[in-house]
Amino acid sequence: MNTEVRYPPGPRGLPVVGNTVDLSYDIFGFFEELRDEYGRIASYEVFGTEACMIAHPDAIQQVLLDSHEAFEKGEVLTRNLADAMGEGLFVTGGGQWQNQRTQVQPAFYRNRINTYVPEMRTTAEETVEQWRDGMVVDVNDRMTEMTIDVLGRTLFGVDVTENPVVSEASDAILARFDTSRFWSFLPDRLPTPTNRRYRQKTDELQQFVDDLARQRREQNPEHRGDDLLSILVEVVEASDLTREEFRDNMVTFLFAGHETTALGLTYTLLCLAQHPDEQAALRAEIDAACDENLTAKDLPKLEQTENVIDEALRLYPPVYMFFRETSQDVELQGYTIPEGTTLVLPQWAVHRDSAWWDDPETFRPERFADDDDDRPEYAYFPFGGGPRHCIGMRFARMEMKTVLATILNEYSFDLVSDPSPELIASTNLKPAEPIEIELEKC
Ligand code: HEM
């Protein structure tokens, strides 16, 4: 490092623990305060390690897109996820990541995802069929069940409701990496109940995945279907992917695609439940867009539904922050950040920054309808950005639209739980209490 380094300003917290105490107490407030007091690029200390918050859209764009080669996923992530999915798309870097992304991408092409819409709709219909007029529904629970079912049917070609191995493993993985709990910072090898359950359930999942893969391999390639599992099996057969990479990717897709989408739906329903006018408008849009059963070709017509989803993901981004690490000294907005520094990109604070959003705390979907807006592109990044943006973004958005359309077709609903539920900074942004709606048959 040279001597002219301008290191980003920031608070110096308590000795030894640094800002760890403030951070674990209220991580959302912490980043907003850091931004307001020290600026959109600011430094802090956590568990004795220097970290920088990057909350300026231009700097975020530089990290994720323009200079992405100068940043890697970094130790915070790899340390936590290495065991479960260290060889998978979410964690790997360099040539290995590039190879996997290229191989897996076809499972997420628009045409392919369009073929998943009927399964998404059927799964949503099966859920809604169990609902009744006047019933109170715990939205997060129901959306969590529904999204795991959709992932199982579309990406792995299995009915997970018949076999609990997938949902049990998913629960165990999320509990293990629940960063709001102290145990997520304990080493994997300690025999805590969470670690033991995590080991057992991921072993069972890996066995299950191996069996599924074997069955697919034994099938005539013409009858294999074209889900993600079949694609991965073919890539393994072409020896472009090791068996370990294959398994880690199956776990990756469960980990990355399940809770995130369930939370996206939960928060969209939370916002809609408080805005009956929006529910009515979306219902009218859905009625106008499709005659009978919703199909993939109807989805692009649901523009207002899309704005509602965008706005819910702005206010409640399921991934509320993520990390990078500098792989060399870098200049960001006039500051020099040394190699090896952990960077945190906090969607929560950027999505609620009044510099880019009028009245940021208010739910106003129409702000996404305004094409003339001169807001910087990276003031909004619920799915990340640049080459490592969420591969499942289109899948998640299609699923959310399909599920919302299915629900709104049958029911209107009111919120009967707290309109501002307490939130937990877990692996994802989770409600600390049930979000409940009361149904009224349309
Ligand atoms: C609302 C739902 C979702 C949200 C908010 C979300 C958010 C994100 C974000 C922010 C990233 C970037 C992380 C980073 O750069 O460090 C990411 C990456 C990723 N997501 Fe999603 N995601 C969602 C749904 C899904 C779904 C449905 C799948 C799969 C079916 C998925 C699979 C992945 C994978 C594999 C990556 C890593 C991509 C790579 O590094 O090449 N996600 N997601």
Side-chain angles (χ1 to χ4, degrees), residues 33-334:
E33 267 172 41
L34 202 58
R35 178 195 71 201
D36 295 344
E37 277 184 40
Y38 298 94
R40 294 184 172 81
I41 299 193
S43 62
Y44 62 99
E45 215 184 306
V46 61
F47 289 118
T49 311
E50 280 286 337
C52 282
M53 174 190 79
I54 309 295
H56 192 291
D58 296 346
I60 294 167
Q61 173 162 343
Q62 194 179 330
V63 173
L64 295 181
L65 182 66
D66 303 336
S67 315
H68 67 91
E69 303 90 354
F71 306 91
E72 45 200 35
K73 284 260 171 157
E75 225 234 297
V76 174
L77 185 93
T78 41
R79 188 183 55 218
N80 278 326
L81 299 184
D83 258 23
M85 57 192 104
E87 298 294 310
L89 190 61
F90 203 87
V91 178
T92 53
Q96 188 184 9
W97 166 78
Q98 185 67 64
N99 181 41
Q100 291 190 8
R101 179 104 189 184
T102 312
Q103 305 277 9
V104 167
Q105 193 72 51
F108 295 92
Y109 285 159
R110 186 187 298 278
N111 287 351
R112 184 68 58 94
I113 294 179
N114 282 349
T115 67
Y116 300 150
V117 172
E119 292 281 22
M120 291 173 175
R121 199 193 61 229
T122 308
T123 313
E125 282 169 356
E126 284 170 11
T127 301
V128 172
E129 271 162 23
Q130 294 168 27
W131 294 359
R132 299 283 173 269
D133 190 33
M135 199 168 145
V136 172
V137 169
D138 179 327
V139 177
N140 195 21
D141 278 2
R142 293 296 81 72
M143 295 304 117
T144 304
E145 286 164 10
M146 201 190 295
T147 48
I148 191 78
D149 207 356
V150 168
L151 268 188
R153 290 185 194 198
T154 56
L155 297 188
F156 306 149
V158 288
D159 184 347
V160 293
T161 54
E162 284 176 4
N163 189 335
V165 68
V166 177
S167 52
E168 285 177 6
S170 173
D171 289 348
I173 292 169
L174 291 166
R176 169 69 188 89
F177 299 113
D178 182 346
T179 45
S180 69
R181 312 278 172 178
F182 74 93
W183 62 67
S184 72
F185 296 99
L186 298 175
D188 280 345
R189 60 177 186 283
L190 286 185
T192 62
T194 314
N195 277 353
R196 277 206 308 269
R197 185 172 151 79
Y198 166 75
R199 278 262 156 269
Q200 185 200 339
K201 294 297 161 193
T202 46
D203 282 353
E204 284 171 19
L205 176 69
Q206 295 195 330
Q207 186 57 51
F208 175 74
V209 164
D210 276 351
D211 291 347
L212 269 183
R214 191 179 29 75
Q215 287 161 18
R216 285 296 159 98
R217 276 197 303 275
E218 286 165 9
Q219 259 176 0
N220 179 336
E222 281 175 22
H223 300 138
R224 269 184 195 164
D226 51 8
D227 57 15
L228 178 74
L229 179 64
S230 301
I231 290 178
L232 288 175
V233 165
E234 272 163 37
V235 179
V236 174
E237 281 176 352
S239 25
D240 274 346
L241 213 64
T242 64
R243 284 172 70 83
E244 212 180 359
E245 286 180 299
F246 168 81
R247 276 195 196 157
D248 281 10
N249 271 305
M250 298 298 279
V251 177
T252 296
F253 282 99
L254 268 180
F255 171 78
H258 173 207
E259 191 179 66
T260 44
T261 315
L263 289 167
L265 275 164
T266 298
Y267 294 125
T268 308
L269 289 165
L270 168 73
C271 295
L272 278 174
Q274 295 174 79
H275 293 86
D277 49 330
E278 285 292 344
Q279 287 183 46
L282 296 201
R283 194 167 297 112
E285 179 178 69
I286 293 156
D287 278 351
C290 59
D291 300 333
E292 208 178 310
N293 282 336
L294 182 88
T295 63
K297 74 173 176 16
D298 301 322
L299 293 178
K301 297 181 222 156
L302 304 183
E303 288 179 11
Q304 202 164 342
T305 312
E306 197 147 307
N307 295 340
V308 164
I309 293 171
D310 285 341
E311 179 68 343
L313 295 179
R314 180 186 72 79
L315 280 169
Y316 301 102
V319 178
Y320 58 96
M321 65 170 190
F322 60 86
F323 300 98
R324 284 295 186 270
E325 190 177 299
T326 45
S327 55
Q328 59 195 63
D329 295 354
V330 286
E331 282 264 329
L332 275 178
Q333 302 272 305

